[in-house]
Amino acid sequence: MPYTTYDEMLLRYGKTKLQQLTDREQPLLGEPVVSVIEDAIQAAAELIDGYAAAKYRVPLSPVPAPVRVWCQDIAFYRLHSSLGSVPEDVRLAFEDAIAALKDMARGLIAFPVEGKPSQYPPGGGVQLVSPGRTFRPPSLNGVLYYQSCCL
């Protein structure tokens, strides 16, 4: 599930900018190419889910406002990087979004979202489960203990 929409990207970045980033076919369409933008949004959402799955069940529901903005920042970066040149402010917004996602995965940023926590707890601790003891002291009555030594 995408965490932002084409309309939200259009509202934030403007039709002209999105057209410049996506309208590449000849002759030019004169409009942003919705499918290219939606592909970038989907890729950004999958990246977000990858980080969020360390702490939450994905997709996140309801979508926290910061996650919506991070998705837009990542998708906008992807649109720029597909052309080979990424402006400094776009790169910094992308790096900030990734840093925040890493903090979310570590549990430093928490959101009140529905669903169960991920089966993988933050920190990835190890748990050992073993059967009960096989031999107990009462069952060893009459058994001689000896120490073996090497010959």
Side-chain angles (χ1 to χ4, degrees), residues 144-150:
L144 298 175
Y145 292 96
Y146 65 93
Q147 181 177 15
S148 64
C149 64
C150 299

Side-chain angles (χ1 to χ4, degrees), residues 9-27:
M9 294 283 290
L10 192 62
L11 183 62
R12 181 170 176 194
Y13 298 110
K15 178 180 175 182
T16 303
K17 186 61 179 173
L18 292 177
Q19 177 186 344
Q20 291 170 350
L21 292 170
T22 61
D23 192 5
R24 303 176 198 148
E25 298 296 320
Q26 294 298 327

Side-chain angles (χ1 to χ4, degrees), residues 39-89:
D39 287 347
I41 290 170
Q42 183 62 35
E46 289 172 5
L47 180 65
I48 291 168
D49 283 347
Y51 282 102
K55 181 134 175 83
Y56 301 102
R57 187 176 76 186
V58 293
L60 300 174
S61 179
V63 178
V67 172
R68 189 173 310 280
V69 171
W70 299 337
C71 189
Q72 293 167 4
D73 289 340
I74 294 167
F76 198 57
Y77 174 85
R78 290 182 60 84
L79 292 172
H80 276 88
S81 66
S82 69
L83 297 177
S85 147
V86 179
E88 183 72 9
D89 60 327

